[in-house]
Amino acid sequence: MSVPNEDKMASHAQLSSHFFGDLLDSIIVDVASECHRIARLGLDRNLEEEEEELKLSAQARERVADPNNSGEANSKYVVDIFGQTHPPIASDIFECMNCHRPIMAGRFAPHLEKCMGKGRKARLKGTRSSTAAQNRHSRGSPVSTYPPYPNSTSTNQLSNGTSGVAGEEYSNGTFPES
Amino acid sequence: MRASVNRPPTPDVGDTQEKQPTLEEIINIKFIESGEKERLMELLRERLIECGWKDEMKALCRAFVKKKGRNNVTVDDLVHLITPKGRASIPDSIKAELLQRIRTFLVSAAL
């Protein structure tokens, strides 16, 4: 019974090799097709640009080695290693998530201060009704003090007894000074 | 009467009826139907990517494309370029692994 088994194993080995070859051929065709696609669509950016890159890198090296451009000379516009310049104030424009106005990125922090923070106008944003009273409070108590009434959650402006109204206005958390 | 077209003689009806699918074809059908061919193809693909074989082949293609100009290349060119080198540069461990699995399949298919 050993001879037929050997035959079987030999034919198995042959079949296995054959199938393996099949799988491999399919994969080779896939790889070739993918490379062909990349070549024809020009998706391979490095192909002809290597010479250009060499030239650009040589230029950049010259610029760096040049004693005239020592970084501080171009005071406002510093050139970084990629040859890019950045304006001193970030100039991207986007929408403020609080007041929905278009704001320049470099001016965003001061804007936020006014929009939702320490600025006088910010506090007035939600309290049109008691504007006059708030004005009096803000001028009279610049230091944080304990409110005399236990039911108020925010502090500074509530020392004069209008705590009931003011507490409600700010309890939603827009007033960060607590 | 001269034959105006060179064509092989029409096979007799008897001939086609007696033709059996070869062992190879039977196995191939089982291979595909059971999904094993798909699985093994994915396994082989993964192994070849891991070991860098695919990247080597892609590099060969890119060099060829650069030399010939990207719009003058056909898929056939690339296939003929890659096939001999591709078959020769398969790592032995991967080949052994796949052959082992194929053989297991052949045995389990009760052949």
Side-chain angles (χ1 to χ4, degrees), chain B residues 10-77:
Chain B
T10 313
D12 285 345
V13 178
D15 262 358
T16 45
Q17 276 175 351
E18 284 162 22
K19 197 170 180 185
Q20 292 287 337
T22 63
L23 183 61
E24 196 181 294
E25 286 168 5
I26 298 177
I27 298 178
N28 201 20
I29 292 173
K30 283 200 179 182
F31 208 26
I32 297 175
E33 281 183 353
S34 66
E36 189 67 8
K37 184 167 189 184
E38 188 77 32
R39 278 191 287 271
L40 290 183
M41 185 109 101
E42 286 314 304
L43 176 65
L44 183 56
R45 242 192 269 267
E46 193 182 318
R47 291 277 179 266
L48 291 178
I49 290 176
E50 281 170 4
C51 74
W53 177 92
K54 185 173 180 188
D55 293 327
E56 284 172 23
M57 297 301 116
K58 284 180 84 167
L60 284 177
C61 290
R62 283 173 56 201
F64 181 82
V65 166
K66 194 168 186 174
K67 201 175 56 169
K68 241 193 154 198
R70 55 171 252 258
N71 285 323
N72 303 336
V73 176
T74 65
V75 181
D76 246 12
D77 287 343

Side-chain angles (χ1 to χ4, degrees), chain A residues 74-92:
Chain A
N74 305 351
S75 52
K76 264 195 147 191
Y77 287 96
V78 180
V79 181
D80 70 15
I81 58 171
F82 297 109
Q84 294 172 331
T85 59
H86 302 281
I89 301 177
S91 58
D92 273 20

Side-chain angles (χ1 to χ4, degrees), chain A residues 20, chain B residues 48 51 53 87-100:
Chain A
F20 178 75
Chain B
L48 291 178
C51 74
W53 177 92
R87 293 186 143 215
S89 66
I90 297 273
D92 288 335
S93 58
I94 296 182
K95 191 166 181 179
E97 183 183 353
L98 267 290
L99 285 177
Q100 175 61 33

Side-chain angles (χ1 to χ4, degrees), chain A residues 56-69:
Chain A
L56 285 176
S57 72
Q59 283 177 17
R61 244 176 278 147
E62 283 172 23
R63 239 179 286 141
V64 169
D66 191 348
N68 296 335
N69 294 2

Side-chain angles (χ1 to χ4, degrees), chain A residues 39 93 129 164 169:
Chain A
I93 297 190
S129 50
E169 305 280 0

Side-chain angles (χ1 to χ4, degrees), chain A residues 17-61:
Chain A
S17 290
H18 170 80
F19 281 124
F20 178 75
D22 259 359
L23 291 176
L24 193 55
D25 282 341
S26 295
I27 292 183
I28 285 178
V29 169
D30 280 349
V31 172
S33 162
E34 190 182 327
C35 289
H36 176 262
R37 173 181 176 266
I38 290 176
R40 291 301 294 255
L41 294 181
L43 298 178
D44 187 2
R45 297 200 56 226
N46 294 334
L47 214 47
E48 283 110 27
E49 290 186 12
E50 268 175 24
E51 300 99 34
E52 260 205 66
E53 301 249 16
L54 287 174
K55 257 185 275 161
L56 285 176
S57 72
Q59 283 177 17
R61 244 176 278 147

Side-chain angles (χ1 to χ4, degrees), chain A residues 3-163:
Chain A
V3 174
N5 266 353
E6 276 174 19
D7 276 351
K8 208 173 191 182
M9 278 177 53
S11 71
H12 272 200
Q14 195 192 31
L15 276 175
S16 308
S17 290
H18 170 80
F19 281 124
F20 178 75
D22 259 359
L23 291 176
L24 193 55
D25 282 341
S26 295
I27 292 183
I28 285 178
V29 169
D30 280 349
V31 172
S33 162
E34 190 182 327
C35 289
H36 176 262
R37 173 181 176 266
I38 290 176
R40 291 301 294 255
L41 294 181
L43 298 178
D44 187 2
R45 297 200 56 226
N46 294 334
L47 214 47
E48 283 110 27
E49 290 186 12
E50 268 175 24
E51 300 99 34
E52 260 205 66
E53 301 249 16
L54 287 174
K55 257 185 275 161
L56 285 176
S57 72
Q59 283 177 17
R61 244 176 278 147
E62 283 172 23
R63 239 179 286 141
V64 169
D66 191 348
N68 296 335
N69 294 2
S70 59
E72 303 100 41
N74 305 351
S75 52
K76 264 195 147 191
Y77 287 96
V78 180
V79 181
D80 70 15
I81 58 171
F82 297 109
Q84 294 172 331
T85 59
H86 302 281
I89 301 177
S91 58
D92 273 20
I93 297 190
F94 64 97
E95 183 188 305
C96 168
M97 48 288 297
N98 201 37
C99 65
H100 305 289
R101 279 166 50 206
I103 304 292
M104 210 169 83
R107 302 293 309 162
F108 189 49
H111 164 79
L112 268 191
E113 275 188 325
K114 296 195 191 83
C115 180
M116 48 171 8
K118 71 171 176 52
R120 183 175 54 98
K121 298 230 168 107
R123 292 188 217 142
L124 298 178
K125 265 186 90 178
T127 68
R128 302 275 171 79
S129 50
S130 50
T131 307
Q134 295 310 320
N135 273 345
R136 252 183 285 132
H137 292 152
S138 64
R139 277 185 226 132
S141 53
V143 181
S144 192
T145 55
Y146 280 117
Y149 300 90
N151 63 346
S152 61
T153 51
S154 40
T155 59
N156 267 4
Q157 301 177 338
L158 313 177
S159 48
N160 280 16
T162 53
S163 58

